[in-house]
Structures are given as C-alpha cells and as structure tokens.
Amino acid sequence: MDDIYEVYAIRYATRASTRAATFLDADPHDGPMGMDYFIWALRKGNRTIVVDTGFDKAVGERRGRTFLRCPVETLRDIGIQPEEVSDVILTHLHNDHAGNLDKFPAAQFHLQDAEMAFATGRYMRHACCGRAYEFDHMVGALRLNYTGRIEFHEGMDEIADGVTVHPAGGHTAGLQFVRVRTRGGWFILASDASHYYENFQRNNPFRLVFNVGKTLDGYRAMRRLAGSEDKIIPGHDPQVMERFPAVSPELEGIAVRLD
C-alpha cells in the first residue's frame, strides 16, 4: 500500500506536576505526576507531515517548563528538513502546540475553523480560557491566514491518503486529533484530546477543559477509529517515551518511533 507512514514522537520539554492538578476527577491528596511535551512527524517517501510545532525556549522558561531542545532541530536529526515539510497539522493553538510557525516556510497549515474562532473570540477575555494561548503565536497564525497558508477544516477531513483529522472540541472548542495509517494499522495521535493514557482509559478529563461532554465523546471517537487502544498516542504522557523505541541511541529520551 502506498499510504503507509512512519510515525515519530519528538519530546522537547517537560515539567513536574501533580495528579490533583492534572485530572478533573482526582483526589487532592494524590502524588506527583510528570508531563512531557511533544510534536509528531509522519513520513512517507519524500513527503512529511508535521503535527504541531511546540514552543521555543523563551516561552518554555517563562511558563516554568524544562526546555530540552528545539523540536525543529530534532526533526533535522531524524532526516526531516523543516524547510521542505509540505503540511503542518495544528491540533489547536495552545502555546505548546503552535509556536515555531515561521520555521516551516513551505508548509500549508491545517486547522479546524472552530479553533481559530475560539482563540480569537469572546472567551479569550477569561484567564481560564486564554492563558494557555500565546499572543505572539496567535499573531503568527493570523499572518499565515492573511497570506493564504491555512487550510480550514469543518469536522472530519482528509489531509492526504492515509491521514485524516477529526474534531474533538473539549479541551478547546476547535481541538482536532489525527488518524494515520501505518504498517501496524491505524494510529491516533490524540494530542490534547487525551493528555495521558489514563484520560481516555478511565474517562477522566484533563483539568483544563472547555466542554467536558465533548471531551468524553472524543475518547469514544478515538477508540472507534484506532486499530486498538494501544494505538492511541496521548499528547503529554511520559509513558510514550517508555513504551516505544528510541530512533537512535543519541536521541534516547528525545525521539521515538511509534509505528
């Protein structure tokens, strides 16, 4: 089949947290829990699709994250030249998913129409909704829009043979996840549709949530579309780096092959 992709997860930052600060339904006495930050790359022959773009060191330090290395430079380390990337899927526009936009000069970007409306609309007046966005990132996204470089999607859509996007507007109003065909079957890159394995396995949403009901519906959709539950890849779980093999010894703890 000619629509089989290699899939990579690239870890670029981390931070310490607690279960009480992570899960909507959590015992406040629960203990610590780490959070990792990723972007993803889908490669088939000479074509590469990048999913999310991370943040830079300055944003990470200002927000109290431990920045490991630039995710765009890690793309180069696995043989992907960001200047040649054809498509970038933005699952949503939160700070840890939509920085570094200018580092992909040839890419067409893909975003749910509802996410742009949400991130520039009335709810950004409220800190609980707006604080996860970076104003400069939003300026970058608007600049891409005004130059015709964002393809907007309304619901499920096909980006390429073997790659589709699916709405899961719970964490934000316009969040989407990605389904990709691999040699191991259909994988789901959940991004923030499920921060951790535990979110979708126990129907326990992440604490930063705009619509709980849609978050729970998103878990059901991912289960339905994945080849199996072990092929749902959460967006922030440190277990991802433990469950999958490193791309190389030099990139241990930084980049793993998922498919």
Side-chain angles (χ1 to χ4, degrees):
M1 299 176 66
D2 61 0
D3 59 351
I4 299 297
Y5 287 80
E6 302 171 1
V7 184
Y8 302 86
I10 293 171
R11 176 175 176 253
Y12 69 92
T14 189
R15 75 179 177 101
S17 187
T18 66
R19 291 182 58 82
T22 299
F23 296 105
L24 192 62
D25 183 13
D27 184 332
H29 300 97
D30 279 348
M33 187 169 196
M35 174 178 280
D36 283 348
Y37 295 81
F38 296 94
I39 71 169
W40 301 269
L42 320 177
R43 182 162 60 185
K44 179 186 70 173
N46 294 325
R47 182 170 190 179
T48 300
I49 299 172
V50 169
V51 180
D52 291 339
T53 53
F55 51 61
D56 62 19
K57 185 176 182 180
V59 169
E61 289 181 346
R62 188 171 67 251
R63 288 179 174 266
R65 288 21 172 178
T66 300
F67 190 77
L68 302 174
R69 71 199 309 259
C70 176
V72 180
E73 292 309 308
T74 303
L75 287 174
R76 295 188 194 279
D77 290 340
I78 64 174
I80 295 170
Q81 303 306 314
E83 299 85 1
E84 299 174 3
V85 169
S86 61
D87 298 271
V88 172
I89 299 171
L90 296 175
T91 61
H92 59 307
L93 293 172
H94 275 176
N95 71 89
D96 51 323
H97 297 265
N100 300 310
L101 301 180
D102 60 332
K103 293 181 170 63
F104 298 90
Q108 187 74 13
F109 290 77
H110 299 269
L111 184 70
Q112 287 288 322
D113 192 60
E115 179 65 9
M116 182 65 89
F118 178 65
T120 58
R122 67 172 66 188
Y123 295 108
M124 296 304 101
R125 297 175 298 170
H126 308 296
C128 62
C129 294
R131 66 187 174 206
Y133 292 90
E134 281 283 325
F135 183 76
D136 287 345
H137 293 177
M138 290 306 307
V139 171
L142 290 170
R143 184 175 290 112
L144 290 173
N145 187 28
Y146 274 77
T147 54
R149 293 183 56 206
I150 297 183
E151 183 72 24
F152 287 100
H153 303 276
E154 293 188 74
M156 179 270 179
D157 212 345
E158 184 178 68
I159 305 302
D161 289 343
V163 180
T164 52
V165 293
H166 303 262
H171 177 60
T172 73
L175 176 68
Q176 60 185 350
F177 62 83
V178 179
R179 187 188 194 214
V180 54
R181 188 194 297 271
T182 76
R183 61 185 178 178
W186 287 106
F187 271 68
I188 300 294
L189 301 180
S191 183
D192 287 4
S194 190
H195 286 64
Y196 293 86
Y197 286 102
E198 187 173 340
N199 291 130
F200 73 82
Q201 289 172 345
R202 298 191 178 184
N203 285 333
N204 190 0
F206 188 69
R207 285 190 65 84
L208 178 55
V209 59
F210 185 67
N211 188 309
V212 173
K214 287 188 176 181
T215 297
L216 298 172
D217 286 345
Y219 298 158
R220 294 183 64 189
M222 289 190 294
R223 292 191 195 97
R224 185 177 68 251
L225 292 167
S228 59
E229 275 202 6
D230 65 330
K231 292 180 172 60
I232 300 174
I233 309 300
H236 289 275
D237 200 321
Q239 289 188 47
V240 171
M241 302 306 293
E242 301 168 5
R243 295 189 181 196
F244 296 94
V247 172
S248 68
E250 296 75 20
L251 293 175
E252 186 76 36
I254 295 295
V256 295
R257 177 89 178 256
L258 299 176
D259 60 296

